[in-house]
Amino acid sequence: MGAWGICCLGSINLSNFVNGGKFSFYKLEQVTSVAVRFLDNIIDLAYYPLPETEAYAKGLRRIGLGTMGLADALIKLKKRYGSHEALATIEDIYSRLRNEAYWRSILLAEEKGKFPWYQKKHLEHPFVKAVLPKIPYAGLEIWSLRNGVILTQAPVGSTALLFGVSSGIEPNFDFKMIRKDR
């Protein structure tokens, strides 16, 4: 991030979407939609100790929606981490999360306005042109985005430990450990 950069982070616990050996994509999309709105609202509600930080936060409206608990979700689905079956599931999970997050940001732009630093060149980014499905891309052309950055995969070691799930997108390396903190 550049000078005065700030990012409002949130993580979705993927392990919570597995029930009876099935992954609920519907619930994931619902939670993703709420999470994007929630993180966007925090930008407006947060206290900023420096005017430069506030200007950056509100100019770019950077949020970072990520995940934790992927390895635990795969265990509940009885899919070996790294297998072809698991990779197909992971592709499905993250493409749906991506699509819903971007679609929600497009709808928020229609409702509340695009992020102030938006420029038409954002539509020319290779990620936007190649990866996003056609409907959200069309929405981008019409309404733009509410957030300059939407997704991330931040390290969530302590947070994942708090919730008792695997960290981020990594496999479980060990099921027993001793953590020493100051």
Side-chain angles (χ1 to χ4, degrees):
M1 273 190 269
W4 311 110
I6 188 167
C7 188
C8 180
L9 300 174
S11 293
I12 295 174
N13 182 355
L14 297 175
S15 180
N16 286 343
F17 298 96
V18 182
N19 191 8
K22 295 194 186 262
F23 193 92
S24 176
F25 291 102
Y26 175 74
K27 286 182 181 178
L28 175 65
E29 290 166 353
Q30 284 182 311
V31 168
T32 300
S33 177
V34 170
V36 170
R37 180 179 283 276
F38 176 81
L39 292 171
D40 182 69
N41 286 341
I42 288 174
I43 292 169
D44 295 321
L45 297 172
Y47 167 75
Y48 300 96
L50 301 169
E52 296 90 350
T53 304
E54 183 173 9
Y56 184 96
K58 292 182 178 177
L60 188 57
R61 303 195 69 79
R62 177 191 294 259
I63 62 172
L65 181 60
T67 63
M68 62 181 159
L70 174 63
D72 294 311
L74 292 173
I75 289 169
K76 288 180 175 181
L77 292 168
K78 296 182 171 47
K79 296 183 181 187
R80 186 180 59 80
Y81 192 98
S83 69
H84 291 294
E85 188 180 23
L87 292 175
T89 300
I90 291 167
E91 174 69 26
D92 203 9
I93 289 169
Y94 284 97
S95 63
R96 289 175 188 238
L97 186 142
R98 175 201 65 217
N99 295 350
E100 185 61 33
Y102 270 81
W103 186 238
R104 179 55 47 197
S105 187
I106 290 167
L107 294 176
L108 285 171
E110 179 190 22
E111 177 186 333
K112 299 179 175 186
K114 62 186 174 190
F115 67 96
W117 293 354
Y118 175 82
Q119 296 176 11
K120 191 77 169 168
K121 70 180 181 179
H122 287 98
L123 295 180
E124 298 304 317
H125 192 280
F127 175 81
V128 173
K129 290 180 81 168
V131 181
L132 290 181
K134 294 298 181 201
I135 294 173
Y137 189 81
L140 276 170
E141 292 174 339
I142 297 166
W143 300 306
S144 176
L145 285 168
R146 177 73 174 158
N147 311 96
V149 178
I150 301 169
L151 301 172
T152 192
Q153 192 57 57
V156 292
S158 297
T159 307
L161 194 61
L162 183 67
F163 287 98
V165 296
S166 53
S167 177
I169 57 174
E170 295 86 10
N172 286 312
F173 296 105
D174 200 346
F175 291 99
K176 283 186 174 183
M177 66 173 194
I178 297 172
R179 181 174 173 163
K180 294 181 181 179
D181 288 328
R182 286 188 272 162

